[in-house]
Each structure stands twice: as structure tokens, then as C-alpha cells.
Amino acid sequence: MKKKVVSVILAMTMVASMAMGCGSSSDTTTSDNSTTTSDAAASTEASDAADATADAASGDLADKKVGVCIYQFADNFMTLFRGELENYLIEQGFSKENITIVDGANDQATQTNQIQNFITQGVDVLIINPVNSSSAETITDMVVEAGIPLVYINREPDASEEQRWADNNWDVTYVGCDARQSGTYQGEMIADLGLDTVDMNGNGKIDYIMIEGDPENVDAQYRTEYSIKALEDAGLEVNCLDDQVGMWDQATAQQLVANSLSQNGNDIEVVFCNNDAMALGALQAIESAGRTVGEDIYLVGVDALSEALEDVLAGTMTGTVFNDHFSQSHSAADAAINYLTGAGNEHYIGCDYVKVTKDNAQEILDMVK
């Protein structure tokens, strides 16, 4: 089942990628990434893209060296991502011994040294998940000067950096989801419950706390902003009781939420977490405080980790957002192949998030297990 679903997601991703074009992602996020392209034209484009990928994969890739920089191996989502990326690269014809994946240990200086080492070793393509998105200009300049194609993943450089790639016609692209969409989905899951359900203290507002990821990461910034924007767009009044930085870490989030519950008590109606690891920590704190998700408090995360999906099914998490590591890792590998074979890429290749509630959590869980 997994391969069938992944194939469908990848096909949809190709169409979405071509619709979004180059440069930074669209300012307006929609649930279906609809375009003005006719169905017939979209079908033709998808077919052409599939043919191009098949042609690229048919080349001799066994002797090509791939360097992959991950910001931190300890990150739950990036663990899923790098495992799927390596497996898919091998499926496409790369030799396992020519794929080197390194841990940046959440330190930009460490990662910069790793990139320099890859350049010295003469890798044929680089796939980089930057520790700090703000370092993208420096990274890009190093890699482009060395004549190596570059695929950024997961952490998107800013719009001005992506515009440089287009202006200079460099072999640089970004593959990932628009974090604004994930934040919007979080907010929509709470808004869909209705004010009467969520407003347990009867003040006419949604009283919430926010647990953010790394403030350097644009995903954390957008998820924080757009989750609340979705509530406001739905006509709901909001009240932030606490906003803390959990750095994507479960234990840190557990302590932060425990502190906030102690300080704000039953006034907290919703806990927003920028990722599922922190949501799992938040759940531990919520249960320790004697609160019950779905009865007197609501909790949402992002990533659709297996444990979080099981909690959604059990009702101990309100919902999460599937950060599709299958389509993202496969699209990143396909982009690397396109550079190696001369097919080229757009400078932005977008993938979609999926809103996950109890209605579809089992389907997503079957896919990721």
C-alpha cells in the first residue's frame, strides 16, 4: 500500500512543482494548490515530468558521489527523511558507498566544515538541510564556485536568496513544503471545533500557549504565525497566554508546558506545538497536570510521527499535520538526478502537507509504518 500511496503523492507533487514555478513560494496558501492550468494540460505536464524523471534515472549513476548534510540526526523528522532519501537514491541507481550523509549536530560551523570537505572530495552533487537558513547565501556561494549542483531541503532560504539562483541561472533549487500551509492547517483544526467547544472558560476567546521550534528556522516562524492567523481568519478572537521556544525538543517542551500549566491553570484551552516531538512532550505535561485532551484542552503538532498518529487515533492529540518525508525526499533525489543528467530544475519544488485528524490518521499511519 505504501508504494502505491507514495506514487500518487509524487505524481501530485510534480504537478504542484511545475505550477509553482521558480523563485520563492506563493504568498497565498490553499489546501489544494489549485492552478489555472486546464486538467488536460496538467495531465500532459505530469506525463512529461514522469518521462523526464524516468530518463534521468536510467542513466549511469553508480559512480556519482552524493554528499548529504543534515542539520541534526537527533531530529525525529529528519531521521525519517534521511532514511527514505538514502533508500530512494539507491533504488535510482546510486551506489550506497557513494552516498555520504553527515550530522551537522545543530551547529552551523560544523556543517560549513562538512560542506567544505565535500567540495574538497569532489562530490558530484550536494543535498543540504541547513542548520541556519540565514547561512544559505554563504553556502550557495561556496558550492556554486566549486561547480557543484545544490539541492536545499526542508529549511527554505529566504526569497532574496532564491531570486539570486534564478537571476544567475545557477544549478540550485529548494525542495520542501510551504510551512505557512502547516500552520494554517493547525489553526483550521482548532477553528473547525467551533468557539463553543474550545472556549471552556466562557470569555469568548481562544486562550492558547505556543511552543515554537528553532526561531532561526522559517518553518517555526511560519507555523507560529499562520496557526493563529487561521483562527483570526475564521473570525475567532485569540489570547496568547504564553509563547516559549522549545527548539523542537520533547523534554524541553514538556518542561515549558508544565510551567505554563502551573502558571495559567485551566485558562489554557489550546496548546500549539511547531512539531510532534514537542507535542508529545506537551502531552506528558498535560496528563501530569490532570488535564484531558479532547475534554478540557486541545493539542496540535506537525510531522505525523507514528506515536503522534497513534495519539490522534486514541483522542489524546487533537490533530497533527503530515510533513510528507516520502515526497520531499524523493523529489530532492529526483532534482539531484536532473542536475547530474543535465535536465535541470525549477528553483523551487513544492510539496504539500496533509491535515491529519482522527478521520484519516489510520491511513497516514499505515503509510509511515
Side-chain angles (χ1 to χ4, degrees):
M1 172 181 177
K2 182 164 111 175
K3 289 188 177 179
K4 180 178 179 182
V5 176
V6 171
S7 296
V8 172
I9 291 174
L10 285 172
M12 293 173 64
T13 299
M14 291 174 184
V15 176
S17 301
M18 287 180 284
M20 294 179 79
C22 62
S24 68
S25 51
S26 165
D27 287 339
T28 303
T29 302
T30 61
S31 60
D32 60 0
N33 268 11
S34 58
T35 70
T36 56
T37 307
S38 68
D39 291 342
S43 176
T44 300
E45 289 178 348
S47 177
D48 290 345
D51 290 343
T53 302
D55 289 343
S58 67
D60 184 11
L61 302 172
D63 62 343
K64 300 298 183 182
K65 295 180 181 179
V66 183
V68 182
C69 295
I70 301 299
Y71 96 96
Q72 181 171 247
F73 277 11
D75 184 286
N76 305 68
F77 175 73
M78 292 313 301
T79 297
L80 296 173
F81 190 112
R82 62 188 167 90
E84 187 63 27
L85 175 64
E86 182 176 27
N87 290 339
Y88 185 76
L89 285 168
I90 293 170
E91 288 176 8
Q92 299 309 299
F94 291 90
S95 297
K96 183 178 177 64
E97 57 267 26
N98 284 336
I99 303 169
T100 305
I101 306 178
V102 295
D103 180 5
N106 202 27
D107 180 76
Q108 188 58 63
T110 296
Q111 186 177 76
T112 300
N113 286 335
Q114 292 168 341
I115 294 168
Q116 291 170 335
N117 288 338
F118 276 136
I119 291 172
T120 300
Q121 293 164 16
V123 297
D124 295 290
V125 65
L126 275 166
I127 299 174
I128 298 178
N129 166 219
V131 172
N132 297 326
S133 299
S134 57
S135 298
E137 181 177 353
T138 300
I139 294 171
T140 300
D141 287 344
M142 281 195 302
V143 177
V144 168
E145 184 177 355
I148 299 171
L150 171 58
V151 179
Y152 282 106
I153 56 173
N154 185 250
R155 294 183 165 191
E156 184 177 1
D158 64 26
S160 62
E161 172 61 11
E162 293 182 355
Q163 189 59 50
R164 284 206 312 145
W165 312 341
D167 291 344
N168 292 284
N169 196 30
W170 289 336
D171 284 346
V172 184
T173 190
Y174 169 74
V175 176
C177 297
D178 185 341
R180 288 170 285 202
Q181 187 184 51
S182 60
T184 298
Y185 283 169
Q186 283 188 305
E188 288 177 350
M189 283 187 279
I190 300 303
D192 288 346
L193 295 171
L195 181 62
D196 291 343
T197 298
V198 182
D199 182 25
M200 285 164 285
N201 62 19
N203 68 352
K205 304 176 182 178
I206 305 296
D207 296 292
Y208 72 92
I209 64 173
M210 179 71 66
I211 308 299
E212 301 185 30
D214 182 351
E216 271 277 337
N217 189 334
V218 70
D219 284 12
Q221 297 165 20
Y222 280 151
R223 288 173 189 170
T224 298
E225 176 185 355
Y226 277 78
S227 57
I228 305 310
K229 183 178 184 298
L231 292 175
E232 294 173 332
D233 288 347
L236 298 170
E237 190 173 349
V238 298
N239 179 36
C240 180
L241 296 173
D242 199 7
D243 190 330
Q244 298 291 335
V245 174
M247 294 299 292
W248 310 119
D249 182 68
Q250 181 170 338
T252 302
Q254 179 181 2
Q255 187 60 57
L256 291 172
V257 174
N259 293 344
S260 192
L261 286 166
S262 176
Q263 294 167 8
N264 297 286
N266 293 333
D267 283 337
I268 299 174
E269 296 164 337
V270 181
V271 179
F272 286 99
C273 295
N274 283 173
N275 77 342
D276 278 347
M278 295 191 297
L280 293 171
L283 177 58
Q284 292 173 300
I286 288 168
E287 292 178 337
S288 294
R291 303 286 296 274
T292 303
V293 173
E295 294 183 13
D296 59 16
I297 196 167
Y298 297 91
L299 171 65
V300 290
V302 175
D303 279 343
L305 301 178
S306 295
E307 187 176 349
L309 290 167
E310 290 167 353
D311 282 321
V312 173
L313 288 168
T316 47
M317 271 184 67
T318 308
T320 184
V321 182
F322 181 32
N323 195 1
D324 189 350
H325 62 280
F326 295 112
S327 69
Q328 291 181 64
S329 59
H330 294 192
S331 294
D334 289 341
I337 292 169
N338 286 342
Y339 280 138
L340 292 173
T341 59
N345 296 287
E346 299 290 346
H347 296 291
Y348 180 94
I349 300 172
C351 309
D352 270 338
Y353 288 98
V354 178
K355 188 188 300 185
V356 183
T357 64
K358 190 175 289 189
D359 292 339
N360 64 337
Q362 187 61 56
E363 177 185 350
I364 304 297
L365 183 59
D366 291 341
M367 188 195 312
V368 301
K369 271 194 165 181

